Every structure is written in C-alpha cells, then in structure tokens.
Amino acid sequence: QVQLVQSVAEVKKPGASVKVSCKASGYNFMRYGISWVRQAPGEGLEWMGWITTYTAKTFYARKLEGRVTLTTDTTTSTAYMELRSLRPDDTAVYYCARREDTNMVTFMDVWGQGTTVTVSS
Amino acid sequence: DIQMTQSPSSLSASVGDRVTISCRSSQTITTFLNWYQQRPGKAPSVLISAASNLQSGVPSRFSGSGSGTDFTLTISSLQPEDFATYYCQQSYSTPYTFGQGTKVDFK
C-alpha cells in the first residue's frame, strides 16, 4: 500500500540541526512531490515547503528560508527535511506528505506518521 | 502571504447534528481550497480538494462549497468518528497557508 514512513523522534539542543527522513513505498516516487508541514504542541498546522522529486526544485515558507533544506534520494525513494539553528519554538511534530497535483488541483493525499522534534537545553 | 481565517475556532455538537465550518481567505483563491481532518494524535487526512471534490473513501456526509474568498465545510449528520479538528488550506500560491483550525467536540 502507499505509505510514507518517517524517522524516529529527536531531541536536540538549541543551535543544533536536525534531519528528518521520509521513506516512500507503494507508488512511483518520481511522479509526486513531497510537502512538509509542522505542528507545535497544541497549535495548528504550518506549511514549511515542498520539493519536486523529479527536478529537486524547492519552495520554502519565507519564515524558514535560510534554515531549512529539503532534499530527496531517488535511489531509496526517501525525502529529507533538515532544519538548522534550532530554537525552542521549533519544537513540533514534523510531517511529510505526498503532493497530489492533477489538473492544477494540489493537495496532500498521503501523510507520514509524524516525527517529534524537541528542542531543549 | 494569503491569510486563512476559520470560524468558529471550536464548536460543541451532538451525534446527528448538522455542522458548518467557514473559511475565508484574505484574497481570492478561486477554488484552490482543501479541507483536512485531524484526529487527536494522528496525522491529518484530506477530506475535500478544490473546494468541493470529495476524496475517495470519505463519507458522503461531508461536503464543501464556495469560491473566491468564502468557503464552507458541512457535515450533514455528525458521527462519533467526526469529533476532530478541521483545517482549510489554500493551494493558490505558496506558502500554502492553513486556517487556524476548528475543533469539533461533544456537547
């Protein structure tokens, strides 16, 4: 079945970096982009950006630009999200999601289970 | 950035109730509007795309309408599994912003 499986929870100190992985299976990885969304404790959803798996073109939320990098490894059908210079307010559950983009309709149709990243000294 | 505003932020309802959630965008997004459901401790899942397209496997009691700047998600007869938080999201232009969410809980 189509699924995205994310890496396990991480605990990081302020100023460090984290890299979350998202392994896809059950579909042609190259046919869909991957989006990233995060959710701070008790808060709503925040769109972080997305990457085209075919050309590796990236689009980032302005507030994260410069600190976040999205990449993919097409040989293993895995997407990665790296966030640098971590701050306590980066503490959140990070989700990857498959981007469906058909006839100009764009939405996230398959989601990973989420990876909790805790930033604390 | 396009701002998305949902109302209400929360509502209390009973099984069988008709529930309506509104979403307004700060500028026109035609029908580039998606609705997601998130149950506690779970990842979101898409209910409706392009304002009114019900996704495969989603019960027909869910429906979406609207265009331009004003959109509505309707649950015709609330079921126990529908108690969750609902988010609208615009896919008109990046960043693809979400509304703040509407929590539906038991009356």
Side-chain angles (χ1 to χ4, degrees), chain A residues 39 43-45 47 62 95 99 104-108 111-112, chain B residues 1 32 34 36 38 42-44 49 55 87 89 91 95-96:
Chain A
Q39 186 171 38
E43 302 295 321
L45 303 172
W47 184 84
R62 213 180 331 266
Y95 294 102
R99 174 187 159 105
M104 295 183 62
V105 175
T106 298
F107 57 95
M108 293 173 280
W111 292 66
Chain B
D1 297 358
F32 288 91
N34 307 312
Y36 297 88
Q38 186 179 34
K42 300 296 185 183
S49 65
Q55 288 302 295
Y87 295 92
Q89 183 213 21
S91 58
Y96 294 144

Side-chain angles (χ1 to χ4, degrees), chain A residues 25-75:
Chain A
S25 61
Y27 72 96
N28 184 344
F29 184 69
M30 300 284 280
R31 290 192 60 189
Y32 298 83
I34 296 288
S35 297
W36 290 85
V37 172
R38 69 178 181 178
Q39 186 171 38
E43 302 295 321
L45 303 172
E46 180 184 5
W47 184 84
M48 299 178 67
W50 76 280
I51 182 168
T52 67
T53 50
Y54 190 73
T55 61
K57 186 173 174 61
T58 53
F59 303 81
Y60 299 121
R62 213 180 331 266
K63 70 175 280 190
L64 295 172
E65 208 143 17
R67 288 204 302 135
V68 66
T69 300
L70 304 182
T71 56
T72 60
D73 181 346
T74 56
T75 64

